[in-house]
Amino acid sequence: MKKLILILLISFTALIAHEDLTLELVDNKDNTITIIGDEEHHQGLAGALIKIESLISGELLFKDRLPKDSKMTIPIPKEPYQVVLDTTDEVLTKIGIAPIEGFKQEHQLKADEVIAKLSKESHDEDEWDSLTILFFSLCLIMFIIAIYYSNKNTNRLLNKQKDN
């Protein structure tokens, strides 16, 4: 019985684990940035889509997939921009780093038009939170324990009845 409970606890612990994605921008001080996509277990996000979107026009400035090492270096755009990490479950966005000489003053944001074009962050809403999984796991363990003791007591009663 102890082995069964141990196996169940290990199984449910694995269910509770989830991936937290990170998007990191590193200024290389040479008008390039390194974009790093990673997840909680540091296995990388090879193949995830990286997009660079203009905050001025909302247009797509760059689009490519992360290579095997989950890092890519690109030139810094000359206008304000956001970096988008798009995976199958989540979309992360981060405002881009300015070039060494900064962005030109003449760039005026057209807020309503641009915001409609830009990618929005999204997270997988179908996931259970940790508290729900923990509660469900405890209920399942208690149910299995109840069945075990019920079966044990039923067998004991049947054996006593056979003896009489």
Side-chain angles (χ1 to χ4, degrees):
M1 182 63 188
K2 289 181 182 180
K3 289 181 182 179
L4 176 65
I5 292 174
L6 182 63
I7 290 170
L8 288 173
L9 284 174
I10 291 171
S11 299
F12 291 122
T13 303
L15 284 175
I16 292 173
H18 65 283
E19 294 181 6
D20 286 329
L21 301 180
T22 59
L23 173 62
E24 185 179 349
L25 305 179
V26 179
D27 188 353
N28 298 323
K29 306 293 185 202
D30 61 356
N31 276 343
T32 64
I33 56 168
T34 299
I35 302 168
I36 304 168
D38 207 355
E39 49 87 27
E40 185 177 38
H41 303 293
H42 305 292
Q43 294 177 354
L45 292 172
L49 185 63
I50 295 292
K51 297 186 286 187
I52 306 295
E53 298 174 334
S54 169
L55 293 177
I56 303 300
S57 64
E59 299 299 317
L60 190 63
L61 303 174
F62 175 84
K63 179 178 167 181
D64 201 0
R65 298 221 174 253
L66 281 174
K68 189 175 180 178
D69 64 352
S70 298
K71 295 179 184 179
M72 71 171 45
T73 300
I74 63 168
I76 296 177
K78 301 298 180 198
E79 61 186 87
Y81 63 97
Q82 77 173 3
V83 178
V84 181
L85 172 65
D86 192 351
T87 66
T88 55
D89 297 329
E90 294 189 46
V91 176
L92 297 178
T93 61
K94 209 170 219 186
I95 300 298
I97 298 169
I100 294 171
E101 63 277 1
F103 296 122
K104 296 180 182 175
Q105 292 290 354
E106 61 200 46
H107 293 304
Q108 298 297 319
L109 296 177
K110 302 171 192 166
D112 294 337
E113 299 168 17
V114 174
I115 290 173
K117 291 182 182 181
L118 294 175
S119 296
K120 311 289 186 288
E121 282 205 12
S122 69
H123 306 282
D124 190 5
E125 302 297 329
D126 296 335
E127 289 184 19
W128 289 2
D129 64 354
S130 297
L131 185 61
T132 304
I133 292 172
L134 180 65
F135 180 72
F136 179 77
S137 302
L138 290 174
C139 289
L140 188 58
I141 289 169
M142 296 301 290
F143 179 71
I144 290 171
I145 291 171
I147 289 174
Y148 171 77
Y149 282 112
S150 175
N151 185 35
K152 185 176 176 180
N153 289 336
T154 302
N155 287 337
R156 186 181 297 159
L157 289 174
L158 288 174
N159 288 337
K160 281 185 181 182
Q161 193 174 24
K162 281 183 187 177
D163 292 341
N164 291 337

Coordinates of all heavy atoms in Angstrom, one line a residue, residues 27 29-33 75-81 96-104 107:
D27 N 21.3 43.2 -24.9 CA 21.9 44.3 -25.7 C 23.4 43.9 -25.9 O 24.1 43.8 -24.9 CB 21.8 45.6 -25.0 CG 22.2 46.8 -25.9 OD1 22.8 46.5 -27.0 OD2 22.0 47.9 -25.5
K29 N 25.6 45.8 -27.4 CA 26.3 47.0 -27.4 C 27.0 47.3 -28.8 O 27.9 48.0 -28.9 CB 27.4 47.1 -26.3 CG 26.9 46.8 -24.9 CD 26.0 47.9 -24.4 CE 25.7 47.6 -23.0 NZ 24.5 48.3 -22.6
D30 N 26.5 46.6 -29.8 CA 26.9 46.9 -31.2 C 25.8 47.0 -32.2 O 25.9 46.6 -33.3 CB 27.9 45.7 -31.6 CG 27.2 44.4 -31.7 OD1 26.0 44.3 -31.3 OD2 27.9 43.4 -32.1
N31 N 24.6 47.5 -31.6 CA 23.4 47.7 -32.4 C 22.8 46.4 -32.8 O 22.1 46.3 -33.9 CB 23.6 48.6 -33.6 CG 23.4 50.1 -33.2 OD1 22.9 50.4 -32.1 ND2 23.9 51.0 -34.0
T32 N 23.1 45.3 -32.1 CA 22.4 44.0 -32.3 C 21.9 43.6 -30.9 O 22.4 44.0 -29.9 CB 23.3 42.9 -32.8 OG1 24.4 42.7 -31.9 CG2 23.9 43.3 -34.2
I33 N 20.8 42.8 -31.0 CA 20.3 42.2 -29.8 C 20.3 40.6 -29.9 O 20.2 40.1 -31.0 CB 18.9 42.6 -29.4 CG1 17.9 42.4 -30.6 CG2 18.8 44.0 -29.0 CD1 16.5 42.5 -30.2
P75 N 20.0 42.6 -36.0 CA 20.2 44.0 -35.9 C 19.0 44.7 -35.2 O 17.9 44.3 -35.3 CB 20.3 44.5 -37.3 CG 20.4 43.3 -38.1 CD 19.9 42.1 -37.4
I76 N 19.3 45.7 -34.4 CA 18.2 46.4 -33.7 C 17.6 47.3 -34.7 O 18.2 48.1 -35.4 CB 18.8 47.3 -32.5 CG1 19.4 46.4 -31.5 CG2 17.7 48.2 -31.9 CD1 20.1 47.1 -30.3
P77 N 16.2 47.3 -34.8 CA 15.5 48.2 -35.7 C 15.7 49.6 -35.3 O 16.0 50.0 -34.2 CB 14.0 47.8 -35.5 CG 14.1 46.4 -35.0 CD 15.3 46.3 -34.2
K78 N 15.6 50.5 -36.3 CA 15.8 52.0 -36.0 C 14.5 52.7 -35.5 O 14.5 53.9 -35.3 CB 16.2 52.6 -37.4 CG 17.5 52.1 -37.9 CD 18.6 52.3 -37.0 CE 19.9 51.7 -37.6 NZ 20.9 51.5 -36.7
E79 N 13.5 51.9 -35.3 CA 12.2 52.5 -34.7 C 11.8 51.7 -33.5 O 12.2 50.5 -33.4 CB 11.1 52.5 -35.8 CG 10.8 51.1 -36.4 CD 9.8 51.2 -37.5 OE1 10.3 51.3 -38.7 OE2 8.6 51.1 -37.3
P80 N 11.0 52.2 -32.7 CA 10.5 51.5 -31.5 C 9.8 50.2 -32.0 O 9.1 50.2 -33.0 CB 9.5 52.4 -30.8 CG 9.9 53.8 -31.3 CD 10.4 53.6 -32.7
Y81 N 10.0 49.1 -31.2 CA 9.5 47.8 -31.6 C 9.2 46.9 -30.4 O 9.6 47.2 -29.3 CB 10.5 47.1 -32.5 CG 11.8 46.8 -31.8 CD1 12.1 45.5 -31.3 CD2 12.8 47.8 -31.7 CE1 13.3 45.3 -30.6 CE2 14.0 47.5 -31.0 CZ 14.2 46.3 -30.5 OH 15.4 46.0 -29.8
G96 N 11.3 46.3 -27.2 CA 12.6 46.1 -27.6 C 13.6 47.2 -27.1 O 13.2 48.2 -26.6
I97 N 14.9 46.8 -27.1 CA 16.0 47.7 -26.7 C 16.3 48.7 -27.8 O 16.3 48.4 -28.9 CB 17.2 46.8 -26.3 CG1 16.9 45.9 -25.2 CG2 18.4 47.7 -26.0 CD1 17.9 44.8 -25.0
A98 N 16.6 49.9 -27.4 CA 16.9 51.0 -28.3 C 18.3 50.8 -28.9 O 19.2 50.3 -28.2 CB 16.8 52.4 -27.7
P99 N 18.6 51.3 -30.1 CA 20.0 51.2 -30.6 C 20.8 52.2 -29.8 O 20.3 53.0 -29.1 CB 19.8 51.6 -32.1 CG 18.5 52.3 -32.2 CD 17.6 51.8 -31.1
I100 N 22.1 52.1 -30.1 CA 23.1 53.0 -29.4 C 22.7 54.5 -29.5 O 22.8 55.2 -28.6 CB 24.5 52.7 -29.8 CG1 25.0 51.3 -29.5 CG2 25.5 53.7 -29.3 CD1 26.3 50.8 -30.1
E101 N 22.4 54.9 -30.7 CA 22.1 56.3 -31.0 C 20.6 56.6 -30.6 O 20.2 57.8 -30.7 CB 22.3 56.6 -32.5 CG 21.4 55.9 -33.5 CD 22.0 54.5 -33.9 OE1 23.0 54.1 -33.3 OE2 21.3 53.8 -34.7
G102 N 19.9 55.7 -30.1 CA 18.5 55.9 -29.7 C 17.5 56.0 -30.9 O 17.9 55.9 -32.1
F103 N 16.3 56.0 -30.6 CA 15.2 56.1 -31.7 C 15.1 57.6 -32.1 O 15.3 58.5 -31.3 CB 13.9 55.6 -31.2 CG 13.9 54.1 -30.8 CD1 13.6 53.7 -29.6 CD2 14.3 53.2 -31.8 CE1 13.6 52.4 -29.3 CE2 14.3 51.8 -31.5 CZ 13.9 51.4 -30.2
K104 N 14.7 57.8 -33.3 CA 14.5 59.2 -33.8 C 13.3 59.8 -33.1 O 12.3 59.2 -32.9 CB 14.3 59.2 -35.3 CG 15.6 58.7 -36.0 CD 15.3 58.7 -37.5 CE 16.5 58.2 -38.3 NZ 16.3 58.1 -39.7
H107 N 9.5 59.8 -34.7 CA 8.5 58.7 -34.6 C 7.4 59.0 -33.7 O 7.6 59.3 -32.5 CB 9.2 57.4 -34.1 CG 10.2 56.9 -35.1 ND1 9.9 56.6 -36.4 CD2 11.6 56.6 -34.9 CE1 11.0 56.1 -37.0 NE2 12.0 56.1 -36.1

